[in-house]
Structures are given as structure tokens and as C-alpha cells.
């Protein structure tokens, strides 16, 4: 598999080892959500534990769902750690959306940031996963075979595109 470096390719994800980044982004999201609950006088300590466990459970479920979908579509370009990294990008989006709401206290700013960041995250994930599938297909089939390089990528675009990215866009809502 051809590896590209983050500093030379702007669409290359930074997934050297996603677990610490995933845990940090997940915990930061939970703390910011706790801050938002505290500002609105709805905070209780039990909610932090419930938020951590439910968010982590949804992350595991989402990774399993993507992995099963890729397996059923015979797409082997993404590993479990890559899926964890891609699923964790949404936590940054959710942190920014919560902070925008805390600073502005405006439903309009909240909705605008939700739509903008949801669309931009969907675009980034689609481009990155599509590009990764093309690179994997090109190296898997080799230049001498007559299989088009977009064989695997077209399955991602046509079968999975509406499903995961719409969830990433509406998750913080």
C-alpha cells in the first residue's frame, strides 16, 4: 500500500495511531458537553459517566457498522484503526458546534455551524475514503490488469455515501 505523508498531501488523514487522539477528542467532547449542561443549570456528575459510556458505545457500534458494510461490499481498503480515526473526526466538529452555541447562545449560529461543519466533514471523509480506495485498488490489481482503478471507490460512493455521512452531519443535533 502506498503511503503518503500529511505534509505533502492535503487529503491524507493523520492516522498514525488513532487511539490516543480518539480518546482525547471523545473526552474533550464529553467535558464540553458537561460545560454546556453546567451553563444551562442541568449538570449532574452522573451525566458525565453516562455521556462517556454512551459516546464510546456509539463509536464502537459505528465502527462495527462501517466494517461490516465494507466487508459485505468486499471493500478491504480500510482497517479497523483507520475506521476509528475517521469516525473520531466528528468529535472535533461537535466540540466546535457546542462552543459556538455557548458563546453566541443563538440557535441560528448553532444550526449554521452544524450545517457548515457537517457538510465539510462529509466532503472531507468522502474524498479521503474515495482516494484511499482508488490507491488500494491500483496497488491491489496492478497496472497490468484491466480492472479500472475506481472499481472499489465507486462502490463506496454509490452504496455507502448517503448512509455514514448523513449520520456524521446530524450526530451533534
Amino acid at each position: 500500500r502506498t503511503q503518503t505523508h500529511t505534509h505533502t498531501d492535503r487529503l491524507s488523514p493523520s492516522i498514525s495511531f488513532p487511539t490516543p487522539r480518539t480518546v482525547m477528542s471523545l473526552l474533550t467532547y464529553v467535558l464540553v458537553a458537561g460545560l454546556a449542561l453546567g451553563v444551562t443549570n442541568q449538570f449532574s456528575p452522573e451525566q458525565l459517566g453516562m455521556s462517556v459510556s454512551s459516546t464510546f458505545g456509539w463509536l464502537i457500534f459505528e465502527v462495527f457498522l462501517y466494517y461490516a458494510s465494507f466487508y459485505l461490499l468486499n471493500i478491504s481498503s480500510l482497517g479497523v484503526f483507520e475506521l476509528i480515526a475517521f469516525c473520531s473526526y466528528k468529535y472535533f466538529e461537535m466540540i466546535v458546534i457546542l462552543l459556538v452555541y455557548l458563546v453566541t447562545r443563538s440557535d441560528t449560529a448553532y444550526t449554521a455551524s452544524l450545517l457548515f461543519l457537517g457538510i465539510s466533514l462529509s466532503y472531507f471523509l468522502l474524498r479521503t475514503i474515495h482516494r484511499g480506495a482508488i490507491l488500494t485498488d491500483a496497488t491491489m490489481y496492478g497496472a497490468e490488469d484491466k480492472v479500472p482503478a475506481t472499481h472499489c471507490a465507486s462502490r463506496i460512493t454509490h452504496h455507502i455515501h448517503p448512509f455514514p455521512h448523513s449520520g456524521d452531519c446530524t450526530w451533534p443535533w
Side-chain angles (χ1 to χ4, degrees), residues 13-52:
S14 59
I15 52 176
S16 56
F17 193 68
T19 306
R21 293 180 188 155
T22 299
V23 171
M24 283 185 59
S25 63
L26 188 139
L27 291 179
T28 304
Y29 163 70
V30 168
L31 291 175
V32 171
L35 176 68
L37 289 172
V39 167
T40 59
N41 293 324
Q42 299 174 352
F43 177 78
S44 69
E46 295 84 23
Q47 288 179 333
L48 284 180
M50 290 184 339
S51 294
V52 168

Side-chain angles (χ1 to χ4, degrees), residues 90-164:
K90 72 176 159 287
Y91 295 121
F92 173 75
E93 167 190 315
M94 295 183 334
I95 291 166
V96 170
I97 291 168
L98 280 174
L99 290 175
V100 165
Y101 181 73
L102 286 174
V103 169
T104 63
R105 301 287 183 138
S106 167
D107 290 335
T108 305
Y110 173 81
T111 305
S113 63
L114 175 72
L115 289 174
F116 175 74
L117 290 172
I119 290 169
S120 63
L121 178 67
S122 298
Y123 177 76
F124 167 75
L125 288 176
L126 182 64
R127 292 277 307 237
T128 305
I129 292 173
H130 187 270
R131 184 178 177 281
I134 289 173
L135 286 177
T136 301
D137 273 356
T139 58
M140 184 169 60
Y141 291 118
E144 66 277 353
D145 291 336
K146 300 296 183 207
V147 178
T150 58
H151 175 68
C152 181
S154 65
R155 285 182 288 175
I156 291 174
T157 305
H158 292 223
H159 296 290
I160 297 183
H161 169 62
F163 172 66

